Amino acid sequence: MIRIRRCQPTGFIRRRRYEVEFVEPTTGETRWKRETTTPVTLIDQHVGVSEAWALVHAADEAWDAGSPQWISLPGTPPE
Protein backbone atom coordinates (compact mmCIF):
# COMPACT_ATOMS: atom_id res chain seq x y z
CA MET A 1 0.00 0.00 0.00
CA ILE A 2 1.22 3.50 -0.82
CA ARG A 3 0.51 6.29 1.66
CA ILE A 4 1.12 10.02 1.20
CA ARG A 5 0.55 13.16 3.23
CA ARG A 6 1.63 16.80 3.19
CA CYS A 7 4.28 17.96 5.66
CA GLN A 8 4.82 21.25 7.43
CA PRO A 9 6.94 23.70 5.39
CA THR A 10 10.46 24.23 6.69
CA GLY A 11 13.05 26.92 6.21
CA PHE A 12 13.42 28.53 2.83
CA ILE A 13 11.86 25.74 0.78
CA ARG A 14 8.83 27.20 -0.96
CA ARG A 15 7.72 23.95 -2.58
CA ARG A 16 5.20 21.69 -0.92
CA ARG A 17 6.76 18.76 0.91
CA TYR A 18 5.22 15.31 1.14
CA GLU A 19 5.93 12.18 3.12
CA VAL A 20 5.54 8.99 1.07
CA GLU A 21 5.46 5.49 2.54
CA PHE A 22 5.18 2.01 1.12
CA VAL A 23 3.45 -0.14 3.74
CA GLU A 24 3.14 -3.92 3.76
CA PRO A 25 -0.65 -4.39 3.65
CA THR A 26 -0.71 -7.67 5.58
CA THR A 27 1.51 -6.61 8.51
CA GLY A 28 1.23 -2.81 8.41
CA GLU A 29 5.03 -2.58 8.48
CA THR A 30 6.64 0.39 6.71
CA ARG A 31 9.00 -1.00 4.07
CA TRP A 32 10.13 2.30 2.55
CA LYS A 33 9.69 5.96 3.51
CA ARG A 34 10.79 9.23 1.86
CA GLU A 35 10.20 12.93 2.28
CA THR A 36 10.13 14.76 -1.03
CA THR A 37 8.92 17.78 -2.98
CA THR A 38 8.27 15.59 -6.05
CA PRO A 39 6.09 12.71 -4.85
CA VAL A 40 4.71 11.83 -8.29
CA THR A 41 8.16 10.77 -9.52
CA LEU A 42 8.45 8.35 -6.59
CA ILE A 43 5.12 6.62 -7.02
CA ASP A 44 4.05 6.92 -10.68
CA GLN A 45 5.95 3.81 -11.75
CA HIS A 46 4.01 1.77 -9.17
CA VAL A 47 0.47 3.11 -9.60
CA GLY A 48 0.50 5.13 -12.83
CA VAL A 49 0.74 8.86 -13.45
CA SER A 50 -2.95 9.70 -13.10
CA GLU A 51 -3.28 7.78 -9.84
CA ALA A 52 -0.09 9.37 -8.51
CA TRP A 53 -1.45 12.85 -9.21
CA ALA A 54 -4.79 11.85 -7.66
CA LEU A 55 -2.98 10.89 -4.46
CA VAL A 56 -1.10 14.20 -4.39
CA HIS A 57 -4.30 16.20 -4.95
CA ALA A 58 -6.10 14.22 -2.23
CA ALA A 59 -3.21 14.88 0.18
CA ASP A 60 -3.41 18.60 -0.67
CA GLU A 61 -7.17 18.61 -0.06
CA ALA A 62 -6.71 16.90 3.32
CA TRP A 63 -4.01 19.45 4.23
CA ASP A 64 -6.24 22.36 3.20
CA ALA A 65 -9.02 20.91 5.38
CA GLY A 66 -6.66 21.01 8.36
CA SER A 67 -6.02 17.28 8.50
CA PRO A 68 -2.55 15.72 8.27
CA GLN A 69 -4.15 12.33 7.53
CA TRP A 70 -2.55 9.73 5.28
CA ILE A 71 -4.05 9.16 1.84
CA SER A 72 -3.50 5.59 0.67
CA LEU A 73 -3.71 3.44 -2.44
CA PRO A 74 -2.72 -0.19 -3.02
CA GLY A 75 0.59 -0.58 -4.83
CA THR A 76 3.79 -2.58 -5.06
CA PRO A 77 6.69 -1.37 -2.91
CA PRO A 78 10.05 -0.78 -4.62
CA GLU A 79 12.81 -3.32 -4.14
Side-chain angles (χ1 to χ4, degrees):
M1 169 176 33
I2 298 172
R3 300 187 333 160
I4 183 173
R5 68 178 170 184
R6 280 260 305 267
C7 300
Q8 287 285 346
T10 61
F12 298 107
I13 298 175
R14 294 183 181 252
R15 297 179 73 175
R16 295 175 178 167
R17 292 181 323 113
Y18 299 86
E19 191 173 13
V20 179
E21 286 186 344
F22 286 86
V23 178
E24 184 64 43
T26 55
T27 64
E29 179 182 337
T30 299
R31 294 187 55 199
W32 181 86
K33 186 176 185 176
R34 296 278 192 290
E35 196 170 296
T36 182
T37 58
T38 57
V40 172
T41 60
L42 288 178
I43 59 177
D44 68 346
Q45 60 191 338
H46 305 285
V47 297
V49 175
S50 62
E51 289 84 359
W53 277 112
L55 282 170
V56 171
H57 291 304
D60 287 340
E61 288 175 9
W63 177 265
D64 291 340
S67 172
Q69 74 182 24
W70 288 99
I71 306 300
S72 58
L73 182 72
T76 306
E79 297 300 320

